[in-house]
Amino acid sequence: MRFLIENFGCQMNDHDMEKMGSVLIDHGHSFAAGIDDADIVIVNTCCIREKAEQKFYSLMGRLQHVRRKTGLILGVTGCIAEQEKENIFERLPFIDFSLGPSNIHKVAEAVDNAKGNLRTGGFGDNACSPSLFIRPHNTRQGVKGFVTIMKGCNNFCSYCVVPYVRGREESRPGADVLAEVREMAGRGIVEVTLLGQNVNSYNNGGGDLSFPELLKEIDAIPGIERVRFVTSHPKDISRELIQCFGTLGTLCESIHLPFQSGSDRILKRMNRGYTAAGYLEKVDALKEQCPGISLTADCIVGFPGETDEDFEQTMLLMERVQFDGIFSFIYSARKFTAAAKLTGPVPPPVAHERLARFQGRQREITLGSNKNMEGKKVEVLVEGPSKNSPDELSGRTRAGKIVNFKGDPDMVYKLVEVDIIKGYANSLRGRCESAPGGKQCSRR
Ligand code: 5AD
Ligand code: SF4
């Protein structure tokens, strides 16, 4: 049968989608070209913020009609499945299965059950769940690969639903991760992103390798040129990890380090476990170890009790760090979380005004940082034709910035040296002197 997976949410979800795709392919199914062609539709969900949840329910409304017409098999997976558990079958009585993130390995079985008109529910945070260990085929084309190194989160930030829907932290043994990365390198993958809700606490409860040791081992794997990781918690960034940025050639000069707020009072209410000064200390240490490191972050505005003064502290922190980009959100109350019971809601117009001011200033900072790149030479991993002008190529720098330039199609999937001639709001324009073929770079 042909399947389609609609995906919402983070890179972990993108990767879970790849894992489910691989399980289904191993059971004889194949990708559908589109919804008209699909026998199975799976919606992989996110409930981190209210908006993601609303989008999911409106999509399900549309899919209900398609199902009625075509009789396709319809399944829900991911965080909303786990959040709702069996209740989802009351809310969406027309679905055939629902599997939480620790149960996605059962996707082929759920499809088989649905063929026999049997409904499947798979919920609960299973330690050693096979879901954590699935090694997907390279279903995305190209030379970039993703590896789950840990799952879950023990931090319980007061606004966050993740510990409730993705369960407690569990790390994959280092030997298993390394075997997967070696296998990927053997398939021609040159850039690997290590995934987990809180990768800095990888193997914190004990295990064969610490996170910095894992990075060192991956650095030594022939063929791997670039390593990234998401997501990091500021309180868990160790000195050893910061040193890795100065010593490991494969570790890209960029880090996503959510700060959430610049006000100590709000950080405390968020249960983040650090102060603004503590965050800035880590940032300074990273900048010292790796001059020019690109910093990105997440931030929440309008958290319950946030005053104008608290918000000004957030603006100050943003100004002080000069991030390359920030994902910023208005707080929304989430099921199960401690913050949902906090008093002092920020009126929506105030929260929107704060977000607009915050984003406006960050846009200026991002543009400034991109303009600063003009005249510099960078290494670009070419990913394919540019989205907006297909006769051009597009790729990313080690800092993760998008570069568009004219080049030879032979350069696709290669590392090439590009001169930056213009910085825009969301991308850079480059020139590749040594076309065709490009000057290939290798750090080895
Ligand atoms: N409201 C708004 N933003 C949230 N995030 C997580 N939970 C919430 C919430 N309840 C944001 C945080 C996190 C990112 C993935 O989503 O900034 O880092
Ligand atoms: Fe959520 Fe905090 Fe865990 Fe990140 S560290 S997943 S924000 S609870």
Side-chain angles (χ1 to χ4, degrees):
M1 296 172 93
R2 282 166 308 233
F3 66 88
L4 187 76
I5 308 180
E6 289 285 344
N7 196 47
F8 290 89
C10 58
Q11 284 183 309
M12 290 289 278
N13 262 22
D14 290 342
H15 196 51
D16 284 350
M17 173 173 78
E18 280 188 303
K19 290 180 180 178
M20 287 191 281
S22 295
V23 170
L24 289 170
I25 286 168
D26 287 344
H27 283 78
H29 303 288
S30 58
F31 282 112
I35 184 92
D36 296 337
D37 179 39
D39 310 300
I40 307 162
V41 173
I42 298 168
V43 185
N44 193 31
T45 60
C46 171
C47 57
I48 191 104
R49 292 174 297 275
E50 198 177 14
K51 243 191 204 159
E53 203 168 335
Q54 286 165 349
K55 271 196 207 159
F56 161 69
Y57 283 108
S58 74
L59 173 67
M60 290 314 283
R62 297 197 297 278
L63 286 174
Q64 178 181 13
H65 296 298
V66 182
R67 189 186 192 281
R68 207 177 285 141
K69 265 200 254 158
T70 66
L72 56 75
I73 292 173
L74 189 53
V76 173
T77 55
C79 295
I80 296 181
E82 190 61 43
Q83 176 181 269
E84 297 302 316
K85 299 197 167 59
E86 298 289 345
N87 296 336
I88 202 155
F89 296 120
E90 276 165 42
R91 190 145 182 201
L92 305 172
F94 50 89
I95 64 173
D96 296 288
F97 61 87
S98 184
L99 304 171
S102 289
N103 285 273
I104 56 168
H105 58 284
K106 296 180 187 154
V107 66
E109 184 189 324
V111 165
D112 286 344
N113 289 344
K115 283 195 265 182
N117 280 327
L118 205 66
R119 181 180 261 178
T120 310
F123 314 110
D125 173 28
N126 316 321
C128 288
S129 161
S131 293
L132 180 60
F133 294 88
I134 301 171
R135 287 189 196 172
H137 318 304
N138 194 18
T139 48
R140 294 183 228 195
Q141 283 207 321
V143 289
K144 296 199 328 188
F146 297 80
V147 182
T148 311
I149 63 164
M150 57 87 66
K151 68 123 196 110
C153 184
N154 296 347
N155 283 324
F156 291 92
C157 300
S158 65
Y159 52 82
C160 185
V161 73
V162 164
Y164 305 94
V165 291
R166 292 251 174 196
R168 295 296 82 77
E169 284 175 9
E170 188 182 345
S171 298
R172 268 175 76 186
D176 193 40
V177 172
L178 290 173
E180 183 170 356
V181 177
R182 282 192 197 102
E183 192 183 291
M184 289 163 82
R187 277 193 264 127
I189 297 289
V190 300
E191 178 180 307
V192 59
T193 302
L194 309 177
L195 296 174
Q197 261 85 34
N198 186 13
V199 289
N200 306 142
S201 44
Y202 173 76
N203 266 344
N204 256 2
D208 52 353
L209 294 174
S210 69
F211 187 50
E213 284 166 350
L214 180 72
L215 291 174
K216 277 177 211 153
E217 294 282 338
I218 294 175
D219 188 65
I221 297 177
I224 298 296
E225 298 279 350
R226 290 178 167 194
V227 178
R228 305 182 189 281
F229 54 80
V230 273
T231 279
S232 298
H233 193 302
K235 79 173 168 46
D236 297 318
I237 296 247
S238 63
R239 201 175 322 142
E240 292 76 28
L241 177 58
I242 292 174
Q243 276 166 358
C244 288
F245 281 96
T247 54
L248 302 182
T250 58
L251 191 56
C252 287
E253 296 78 16
S254 79
I255 185 164
H256 186 69
L257 199 58
F259 62 92
Q260 313 298 4
S261 170
S263 153
D264 289 347
R265 208 177 62 81
I266 295 297
L267 286 169
K268 197 156 191 207
R269 275 165 86 84
M270 287 177 163
N271 191 29
R272 287 292 285 175
Y274 56 85
T275 58
Y279 180 88
L280 290 171
E281 252 172 51
K282 303 259 164 122
V283 165
D284 288 344
L286 283 160
K287 286 183 174 174
E288 192 181 318
Q289 227 4 275
C290 183
I293 190 168
S294 163
L295 286 136
T296 55
D298 296 342
C299 178
I300 297 174
V301 303
F303 187 77
E306 184 188 73
T307 61
D308 283 343
E309 211 180 319
D310 293 316
F311 176 64
E312 291 309 325
Q313 299 293 313
T314 297
M315 290 294 289
L316 275 178
L317 190 146
M318 167 182 65
E319 205 61 60
R320 160 80 152 69
V321 178
Q322 298 282 301
F323 294 94
D324 270 333
I326 303 181
F327 296 107
S328 48
F329 314 100
I330 289 179
Y331 167 78
S332 57
R334 302 285 63 213
K335 206 166 169 174
F336 314 124
T337 61
K341 295 178 207 94
L342 285 179
T343 52
V346 174
V350 174
H352 279 99
E353 202 183 303
R354 285 179 190 165
L355 186 73
R357 202 178 129 212
F358 183 88
Q359 292 184 334
R361 179 62 193 126
Q362 182 54 47
R363 265 196 299 275
E364 289 171 1
I365 295 173
T366 304
L367 178 63
S369 153
N370 288 349
K371 289 214 160 296
N372 246 339
M373 297 295 296
E374 292 174 4
K376 295 199 171 128
K377 256 188 205 325
V378 290
E379 176 201 279
V380 173
L381 178 58
V382 186
E383 294 178 9
S386 148
K387 259 195 232 140
N388 296 333
S389 45
D391 57 325
E392 293 196 341
L393 298 176
S394 186
R396 279 184 194 264
T397 67
R398 288 173 62 85
K401 289 183 187 271
I402 297 173
V403 184
N404 296 307
F405 64 100
K406 285 204 191 327
D408 194 275
D410 277 358
M411 292 177 183
V412 172
Y413 300 153
K414 298 202 175 114
L415 288 164
V416 296
E417 202 173 73
V418 175
D419 293 301
I420 301 303
I421 52 174
K422 190 100 187 116
Y424 300 110
N426 299 312
S427 66
L428 305 172
R429 163 146 301 280
R431 186 184 296 131
C432 193
E433 289 294 352
S434 35
K439 175 163 187 276
Q440 289 184 27
C441 329
S442 172
R443 298 179 67 79
R444 285 161 200 285

XYZ file of all heavy atoms in Angstrom, residues 152-228:
585
model
N 13.283 12.111 25.432
C 12.641 12.520 26.675
C 13.349 13.662 27.370
O 14.373 14.162 26.900
N 12.773 14.077 28.486
C 13.335 15.206 29.216
C 12.933 15.115 30.683
O 11.785 14.805 30.985
C 12.828 16.510 28.612
S 13.577 17.933 29.404
N 13.905 15.381 31.569
C 13.623 15.345 33.018
C 13.550 16.739 33.618
O 13.528 16.882 34.834
C 14.735 14.570 33.756
C 14.791 13.117 33.346
O 13.877 12.613 32.695
N 15.854 12.435 33.712
N 13.567 17.766 32.781
C 13.728 19.119 33.327
C 12.455 19.756 33.860
O 12.507 20.607 34.724
C 14.346 20.034 32.275
C 15.822 19.770 32.153
O 16.494 19.493 33.137
N 16.345 19.797 30.934
N 11.339 19.410 33.296
C 10.058 19.969 33.748
C 10.073 21.498 33.832
O 9.746 22.063 34.868
C 9.634 19.355 35.099
C 9.257 17.906 34.975
C 10.200 16.907 35.170
C 7.962 17.531 34.620
C 9.869 15.562 35.016
C 7.616 16.198 34.474
C 8.565 15.212 34.677
N 10.476 22.148 32.755
C 10.284 23.596 32.676
C 8.777 23.809 32.830
O 7.986 23.029 32.264
C 10.765 24.123 31.329
S 12.518 23.791 31.082
N 8.388 24.831 33.565
C 6.992 24.867 34.020
C 5.979 25.032 32.881
O 4.818 24.707 33.042
C 6.805 25.983 35.046
O 7.022 27.233 34.423
N 6.428 25.526 31.718
C 5.512 25.766 30.595
C 5.438 24.580 29.629
O 4.644 24.586 28.705
C 5.979 27.001 29.797
C 7.442 26.895 29.401
C 7.834 26.176 28.285
C 8.438 27.478 30.181
C 9.164 26.033 27.962
C 9.776 27.349 29.860
C 10.125 26.621 28.750
O 11.452 26.465 28.435
N 6.283 23.558 29.827
C 6.557 22.624 28.729
C 5.896 21.255 28.902
O 6.006 20.608 29.944
C 8.063 22.458 28.581
S 8.501 21.442 27.173
N 5.271 20.796 27.840
C 4.529 19.535 27.865
C 5.428 18.330 27.543
O 5.043 17.178 27.759
C 3.329 19.637 26.867
C 3.805 19.589 25.416
C 2.278 18.584 27.123
N 6.653 18.622 27.052
C 7.516 17.539 26.550
C 7.731 16.397 27.554
O 7.571 15.216 27.193
C 8.865 18.107 26.027
C 9.917 17.014 25.869
C 8.651 18.799 24.695
N 8.069 16.677 28.834
C 8.302 15.551 29.749
C 7.073 14.640 29.891
O 7.210 13.468 30.217
C 8.618 16.235 31.079
C 9.138 17.585 30.696
C 8.354 17.973 29.475
N 5.882 15.196 29.640
C 4.658 14.402 29.792
C 4.344 13.577 28.547
O 3.697 12.549 28.644
C 3.468 15.325 30.119
C 3.741 16.176 31.338
C 4.262 17.466 31.206
C 3.526 15.675 32.615
C 4.548 18.244 32.321
C 3.811 16.442 33.736
C 4.323 17.723 33.575
O 4.621 18.484 34.682
N 4.765 14.059 27.392
C 4.420 13.323 26.171
C 5.604 12.563 25.559
O 5.406 11.642 24.768
C 3.778 14.243 25.100
C 2.406 14.690 25.552
C 4.654 15.445 24.765
N 6.814 12.954 25.929
C 7.994 12.240 25.405
C 8.684 11.458 26.512
O 9.722 10.831 26.288
C 8.980 13.225 24.772
C 8.459 13.865 23.497
C 9.212 13.331 22.294
N 8.681 13.796 21.042
C 8.983 13.230 19.878
N 9.800 12.200 19.819
N 8.466 13.680 18.773
N 8.149 11.551 27.730
C 8.636 10.727 28.830
C 9.972 11.140 29.397
O 10.502 12.207 29.077
N 10.507 10.251 30.240
C 11.777 10.546 30.913
C 12.948 10.365 29.947
O 12.837 9.684 28.948
C 11.989 9.593 32.102
C 11.008 9.691 33.269
C 11.061 11.032 33.974
N 10.253 12.021 33.228
C 8.931 12.072 33.272
N 8.272 11.239 34.019
N 8.263 12.956 32.560
N 14.081 10.986 30.340
C 15.280 10.884 29.513
C 15.771 9.449 29.423
O 15.772 8.728 30.418
C 16.407 11.733 30.127
C 16.228 13.208 29.899
C 17.278 14.055 30.599
O 18.259 13.510 31.130
O 17.088 15.280 30.612
N 16.182 9.091 28.223
C 16.803 7.785 28.018
C 17.812 7.943 26.885
O 17.478 8.487 25.826
C 15.726 6.757 27.630
C 16.262 5.353 27.581
C 15.195 4.344 27.134
O 13.993 4.674 27.125
O 15.602 3.235 26.775
N 19.048 7.507 27.141
C 20.095 7.677 26.122
C 20.373 6.355 25.432
O 20.329 5.295 26.060
C 21.392 8.168 26.778
O 21.185 9.416 27.370
N 20.689 6.443 24.166
C 21.125 5.230 23.447
C 22.587 4.989 23.771
O 23.366 5.939 23.856
C 21.024 5.470 21.938
C 19.720 5.041 21.346
C 19.682 5.445 19.897
N 20.490 4.581 19.051
C 20.705 4.821 17.764
N 20.213 5.904 17.193
N 21.421 3.997 17.048
N 23.002 3.728 23.914
C 24.423 3.488 24.174
C 25.281 4.126 23.081
O 24.913 4.125 21.898
C 24.543 1.962 24.110
C 23.165 1.454 24.340
C 22.221 2.501 23.815
N 26.434 4.677 23.496
C 27.325 5.328 22.542
C 27.737 4.390 21.418
O 27.809 4.794 20.254
N 27.986 3.122 21.762
C 28.451 2.161 20.748
C 27.404 2.023 19.637
O 27.745 1.917 18.451
C 28.714 0.807 21.407
N 26.128 2.053 20.031
C 25.040 1.915 19.065
C 24.956 3.163 18.167
O 24.794 3.070 16.941
C 23.734 1.714 19.857
C 22.602 1.255 18.986
O 22.849 0.412 18.101
O 21.473 1.747 19.173
N 25.109 4.340 18.796
C 25.081 5.595 18.031
C 26.251 5.609 17.045
O 26.085 5.914 15.855
C 25.169 6.822 18.980
C 25.338 8.110 18.185
C 23.947 6.908 19.890
N 27.439 5.229 17.528
C 28.628 5.267 16.657
C 28.479 4.297 15.486
O 28.860 4.612 14.360
C 29.887 4.934 17.470
C 30.300 6.010 18.469
C 31.446 5.530 19.346
C 30.688 7.302 17.745
N 27.898 3.128 15.771
C 27.699 2.155 14.681
C 26.785 2.758 13.614
O 27.024 2.607 12.411
C 27.100 0.863 15.242
N 25.743 3.480 14.054
C 24.835 4.084 13.073
C 25.540 5.186 12.284
O 25.376 5.294 11.068
C 23.576 4.637 13.772
C 22.594 5.208 12.756
C 21.220 5.550 13.312
O 20.954 5.288 14.498
O 20.403 6.083 12.529
N 26.351 5.996 12.982
C 27.040 7.079 12.262
C 28.042 6.489 11.257
O 28.159 6.971 10.129
C 27.726 8.070 13.238
C 28.488 9.147 12.468
C 26.700 8.716 14.160
N 28.729 5.413 11.648
C 29.686 4.775 10.705
C 28.945 4.255 9.478
O 29.397 4.416 8.345
C 30.414 3.617 11.382
C 31.510 4.107 12.272
C 32.462 3.002 12.737
N 33.196 3.521 13.881
C 32.942 3.216 15.140
N 31.996 2.330 15.436
N 33.620 3.765 16.120
N 27.786 3.657 9.745
C 26.969 3.129 8.637
C 26.560 4.283 7.711
O 26.596 4.166 6.483
C 25.741 2.482 9.276
C 24.891 1.620 8.380
C 23.691 1.136 9.196
O 23.883 0.320 10.110
O 22.562 1.606 8.936
N 26.193 5.424 8.323
C 25.792 6.587 7.518
C 26.968 7.106 6.703
O 26.817 7.440 5.526
C 25.256 7.694 8.447
C 23.926 7.360 9.053
S 23.565 8.399 10.478
C 22.965 9.838 9.681
N 28.126 7.184 7.333
C 29.323 7.662 6.617
C 29.595 6.733 5.429
O 29.941 7.191 4.339
C 30.514 7.709 7.557
N 29.372 5.437 5.637
C 29.567 4.454 4.563
C 28.612 4.678 3.404
O 28.897 4.335 2.261
N 27.453 5.280 3.701
C 26.458 5.580 2.652
C 26.709 6.940 2.015
O 25.909 7.410 1.218
C 25.065 5.636 3.287
C 24.388 4.306 3.462
C 22.903 4.519 3.786
N 22.637 4.483 5.201
C 21.986 5.442 5.877
N 21.576 6.521 5.244
N 21.766 5.316 7.164
N 27.742 7.640 2.456
C 28.070 8.934 1.840
C 27.556 10.143 2.603
O 27.659 11.275 2.112
N 27.003 9.930 3.787
C 26.564 11.079 4.596
C 27.796 11.849 5.084
O 28.740 11.242 5.596
C 25.736 10.591 5.816
C 24.446 9.886 5.370
C 25.452 11.724 6.811
C 23.381 10.770 4.794
N 27.777 13.191 4.903
C 28.929 13.975 5.377
C 28.572 14.879 6.554
O 29.444 15.328 7.289
C 29.585 14.828 4.257
C 30.100 13.976 3.133
C 28.636 15.882 3.730
N 27.260 15.151 6.713
C 26.855 16.017 7.835
C 25.855 15.271 8.707
O 24.846 14.775 8.218
C 26.216 17.303 7.303
C 25.746 18.198 8.438
C 25.094 19.488 7.980
O 25.710 20.228 7.186
O 23.959 19.749 8.425
N 26.157 15.184 9.978
C 25.256 14.453 10.869
C 24.777 15.373 11.981
O 25.550 16.158 12.542
C 25.932 13.151 11.376
C 27.208 13.420 12.113
C 25.011 12.377 12.286
N 23.466 15.310 12.249
C 22.881 16.086 13.347
C 22.415 15.117 14.428
O 21.641 14.195 14.152
C 21.693 16.938 12.846
O 22.148 17.787 11.810
C 21.105 17.784 13.974
N 22.917 15.321 15.637
C 22.560 14.458 16.763
C 21.310 15.045 17.425
O 21.280 16.236 17.756
C 23.707 14.389 17.768
C 25.067 14.036 17.168
C 26.157 14.059 18.227
C 25.016 12.659 16.501
N 20.309 14.202 17.591
C 19.012 14.700 18.054
C 18.650 14.205 19.440
O 18.922 13.061 19.799
C 17.905 14.228 17.103
C 17.934 14.714 15.666
C 16.848 14.005 14.864
C 17.722 16.224 15.617
N 17.995 15.070 20.190
C 17.437 14.715 21.501
C 16.805 15.956 22.089
O 17.183 17.066 21.712
N 15.847 15.779 23.019
C 15.209 16.955 23.620
C 16.209 17.740 24.460
O 16.073 18.920 24.648
C 14.048 16.536 24.519
C 12.702 16.667 23.855
C 12.381 15.453 23.035
O 12.765 14.353 23.394
N 11.688 15.647 21.939
N 17.208 17.029 24.972
C 18.179 17.684 25.837
C 19.505 16.937 25.684
O 19.920 16.201 26.563
C 17.656 17.620 27.277
C 18.525 18.392 28.224
O 19.377 19.174 27.797
N 18.341 18.172 29.498
N 20.159 17.133 24.540
C 21.338 16.314 24.213
C 22.482 16.493 25.208
O 23.306 15.599 25.375
C 21.872 16.573 22.778
C 20.949 16.021 21.728
C 22.160 18.028 22.543
N 22.532 17.647 25.890
C 23.634 17.871 26.831
C 23.568 16.950 28.031
O 24.558 16.770 28.727
C 23.661 19.311 27.341
C 23.689 20.311 26.216
O 23.070 21.347 26.292
N 24.387 19.963 25.143
N 22.393 16.380 28.314
C 22.376 15.433 29.432
C 22.452 13.993 28.910
O 22.054 13.059 29.594
C 21.192 15.664 30.365
O 20.026 15.887 29.666
N 23.008 13.831 27.703
C 23.235 12.494 27.152
C 24.052 11.655 28.135
O 25.090 12.098 28.632
C 23.982 12.616 25.813
C 24.415 11.288 25.244
C 23.495 10.447 24.632
C 25.737 10.861 25.349
C 23.883 9.219 24.130
C 26.132 9.634 24.847
C 25.193 8.818 24.233
O 25.576 7.603 23.751
N 23.565 10.491 28.436
C 24.245 9.531 29.334
C 24.586 10.109 30.713
O 25.535 9.650 31.359
C 25.534 8.994 28.676
C 25.256 7.677 27.957
O 24.220 7.038 28.200
N 26.150 7.256 27.094
N 23.809 11.096 31.158
C 24.079 11.692 32.472
C 23.894 10.696 33.606
O 24.556 10.782 34.624
C 23.161 12.892 32.726
C 23.917 14.193 32.551
O 25.089 14.168 32.204
N 23.247 15.299 32.785
N 22.986 9.773 33.419
C 22.745 8.769 34.458
C 23.795 7.658 34.406
O 23.615 6.613 35.006
N 24.869 7.855 33.670
C 25.887 6.800 33.483
C 25.697 6.192 32.116
O 24.623 6.290 31.541
N 26.731 5.580 31.599
C 26.639 5.020 30.249
C 28.045 4.901 29.721
O 29.006 5.258 30.410
N 28.174 4.382 28.494
C 29.530 4.105 28.005
C 30.313 5.360 27.636
O 31.532 5.398 27.763
C 29.483 3.090 26.848
C 28.517 3.498 25.743
O 27.777 4.498 25.908
O 28.487 2.816 24.711
N 29.631 6.419 27.159
C 30.347 7.633 26.724
C 29.618 8.879 27.218
O 28.387 8.906 27.233
C 30.366 7.707 25.185
C 31.147 6.670 24.393
C 30.888 6.860 22.902
C 32.636 6.802 24.676
N 30.359 9.921 27.597
C 29.716 11.205 27.894
C 29.436 11.894 26.547
O 29.931 11.457 25.508
C 30.658 12.070 28.729
O 31.753 12.463 27.924
N 28.703 12.993 26.582
C 28.394 13.674 25.322
C 29.671 14.199 24.633
O 29.867 13.934 23.434
C 27.365 14.782 25.575
C 26.869 15.421 24.315
C 26.402 14.655 23.256
C 26.880 16.799 24.156
C 25.950 15.234 22.077
C 26.434 17.391 22.992
C 25.974 16.608 21.948
N 30.577 14.874 25.370
C 31.819 15.310 24.700
C 32.621 14.120 24.148
O 33.208 14.216 23.067
C 32.602 16.020 25.814
C 31.552 16.492 26.761
C 30.480 15.428 26.743
N 32.629 12.990 24.873
C 33.356 11.809 24.363
C 32.711 11.295 23.080
O 33.400 10.910 22.132
C 33.368 10.699 25.424
C 34.357 10.959 26.543
C 34.160 10.064 27.762
O 33.142 9.336 27.855
O 35.025 10.106 28.648
N 31.388 11.314 23.061
C 30.687 10.872 21.846
C 31.076 11.765 20.664
O 31.368 11.281 19.564
C 29.161 10.930 22.072
C 28.312 10.496 20.891
C 28.380 8.982 20.690
C 26.849 10.908 21.069
N 31.117 13.085 20.906
C 31.491 14.017 19.828
C 32.909 13.732 19.333
O 33.175 13.782 18.131
C 31.385 15.467 20.321
C 29.967 15.980 20.598
C 30.020 17.368 21.226
C 29.133 16.024 19.319
N 33.804 13.417 20.265
C 35.198 13.129 19.878
C 35.262 11.880 19.010
O 35.978 11.838 18.013
C 36.074 12.934 21.128
C 36.548 14.253 21.683
C 37.363 14.082 22.957
C 37.139 15.312 23.830
N 37.289 15.124 25.240
N 34.506 10.861 19.395
C 34.511 9.605 18.625
C 33.949 9.844 17.223
O 34.451 9.303 16.236
C 33.667 8.532 19.331
C 34.225 8.077 20.671
C 35.383 7.097 20.523
O 35.490 6.453 19.466
O 36.186 6.991 21.476
N 32.897 10.642 17.145
C 32.293 10.903 15.825
C 33.271 11.710 14.966
O 33.393 11.489 13.763
C 30.926 11.618 15.971
C 29.926 10.681 16.652
C 30.392 12.063 14.606
C 28.579 11.288 16.956
N 33.979 12.626 15.600
C 34.973 13.452 14.893
C 35.997 12.581 14.168
O 36.545 12.967 13.145
C 35.663 14.367 15.917
C 36.567 15.394 15.264
O 36.044 16.253 14.535
O 37.792 15.312 15.462
N 36.251 11.402 14.727
C 37.300 10.541 14.154
C 36.759 9.614 13.055
O 37.526 8.840 12.481
C 37.916 9.707 15.278
N 35.466 9.677 12.772
C 34.918 8.758 11.753
C 35.208 9.312 10.350
O 34.767 10.418 10.017
C 33.395 8.531 11.965
C 33.159 7.851 13.318
C 32.785 7.719 10.821
C 31.703 7.640 13.670
N 35.947 8.571 9.530
C 36.281 9.082 8.192
C 35.010 9.345 7.381
O 34.064 8.548 7.419
C 37.090 7.941 7.558
C 37.537 7.092 8.700
C 36.511 7.233 9.775
N 35.004 10.463 6.683
C 33.860 10.796 5.826
C 32.920 11.798 6.480
O 32.240 12.554 5.794
N 32.859 11.829 7.809
C 31.985 12.802 8.483
C 32.735 14.135 8.564
O 33.810 14.227 9.152
C 31.569 12.320 9.899
C 30.768 11.008 9.820
C 30.767 13.409 10.638
C 29.433 11.091 9.106
N 32.163 15.157 7.917
C 32.827 16.462 7.843
C 32.199 17.487 8.775
O 32.830 18.455 9.165
C 32.740 17.000 6.405
C 33.434 16.127 5.375
C 34.932 16.364 5.326
O 35.408 17.319 5.950
O 35.624 15.569 4.658
N 30.887 17.288 9.045
C 30.181 18.289 9.862
C 29.315 17.593 10.894
O 28.581 16.642 10.552
C 29.249 19.120 8.985
C 29.950 20.069 8.041
C 28.901 20.788 7.210
N 29.454 21.926 6.506
C 28.720 22.869 5.928
N 27.399 22.800 5.971
N 29.291 23.876 5.318
N 29.357 18.095 12.126
C 28.492 17.557 13.186
C 27.736 18.719 13.822
O 28.315 19.768 14.102
C 29.326 16.815 14.263
C 28.423 16.293 15.379
C 30.111 15.665 13.641
N 26.441 18.508 14.013
C 25.601 19.477 14.728
C 24.831 18.731 15.795
O 24.701 17.497 15.722
C 24.570 20.129 13.782
C 25.172 20.775 12.559
C 24.052 21.435 11.738
N 24.549 21.892 10.443
C 25.233 23.011 10.254
N 25.518 23.797 11.271
N 25.637 23.368 9.047
